[in-house]
């Protein structure tokens, strides 16, 4: 069984074991088997993720539309899906980015990984986890004193 990965990625024994035993490392062996039988490769994005649909765009009778899915190159992270592919996966467009002239809008930001739970996570002003002291604001609590 071949893994759909860019040629520069070297498949090690550790990678093979993780793909076999876990779902968050690019799909399980069952996902890859089902993909090899019923899926057709539509394209890859700039991160090496592979996008599939049912062969020939066949309509799934249970869903009423074709199935579309992604096998992530590394760790399965939904935020690693570019906007063009996200729209295609969620049936917002019928044409995948490989067959269209999709150009990102000027207001679209470049991809940043989800940093939640890491030291680089966003900490708003006033957060207990942010370094330094919180600046005092006009609406701070003042204790009631009888009198």
């Amino acid at each position: 069984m071949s893994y759909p990965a860019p040629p520069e990625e070297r498949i090690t024994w550790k990678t093979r074991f993780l793909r076999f035993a876990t779902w968050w490392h690019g799909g399980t062996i069952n996902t890859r088997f089902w993909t090899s039988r019923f899926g057709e490769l539509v394209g890859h994005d700039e991160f090496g993720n592979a996008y599939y649909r049912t062969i020939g765009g066949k309509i799934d009778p249970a869903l009423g539309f074709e199935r579309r899915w992604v096998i992530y190159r590394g760790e399965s992270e939904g935020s690693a899906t570019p906007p063009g592919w996200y729209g295609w996966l969620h049936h917002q467009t019928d044409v995948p980015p490989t067959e269209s002239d999709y150009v990102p809008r000027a207001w679209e930001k470049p991809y940043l990984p989800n940093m939640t739970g890491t030291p680089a996570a966003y900490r708003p002003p006033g957060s207990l986890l942010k370094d330094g002291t919180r600046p005092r604001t006009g609406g701070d609590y003042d204790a009631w004193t009888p009198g």
Side-chain angles (χ1 to χ4, degrees):
M1 172 184 259
S2 65
Y3 296 110
E8 70 271 8
E9 181 179 317
R10 185 169 165 226
I11 307 296
T12 63
W13 284 105
K14 178 183 175 183
T15 305
R16 288 180 193 260
F17 175 74
L18 289 173
R19 286 182 176 174
F20 174 79
T22 62
W23 61 266
W24 55 89
H25 283 95
T28 62
I29 195 76
N30 290 333
T31 301
R32 293 184 182 275
F33 177 73
W34 194 85
T35 299
S36 69
R37 288 204 54 205
F38 303 109
E40 116 183 309
L41 180 65
V42 176
H44 289 87
D45 64 14
E46 60 266 24
F47 306 118
N49 302 328
Y51 296 87
Y52 295 90
R53 68 176 175 196
T54 50
I55 295 175
K58 182 181 174 187
I59 305 298
D60 187 322
L63 298 175
F65 49 84
E66 75 177 1
R67 286 182 182 261
R68 297 174 181 174
W69 65 97
V70 59
I71 296 182
Y72 293 98
R73 178 175 176 199
E75 187 173 334
S76 295
E77 174 60 50
S79 68
T81 305
W85 284 107
Y86 181 90
W88 179 78
L89 279 173
H90 292 87
H91 299 276
Q92 295 172 345
T93 179
D94 293 330
V95 181
T98 54
E99 298 173 10
S100 69
D101 55 350
Y102 173 78
V103 178
R105 307 266 199 273
W107 46 263
E108 289 181 12
K109 293 183 177 181
Y111 169 75
L112 292 174
N114 184 352
M115 302 305 288
T116 303
T118 68
Y122 173 70
R123 311 269 195 248
S127 170
L128 295 176
L129 299 175
K130 191 170 180 96
D131 293 337
T133 59
R134 182 177 71 86
R136 185 164 174 79
T137 63
D140 277 346
Y141 174 78
D142 290 322
W144 175 76
T145 54

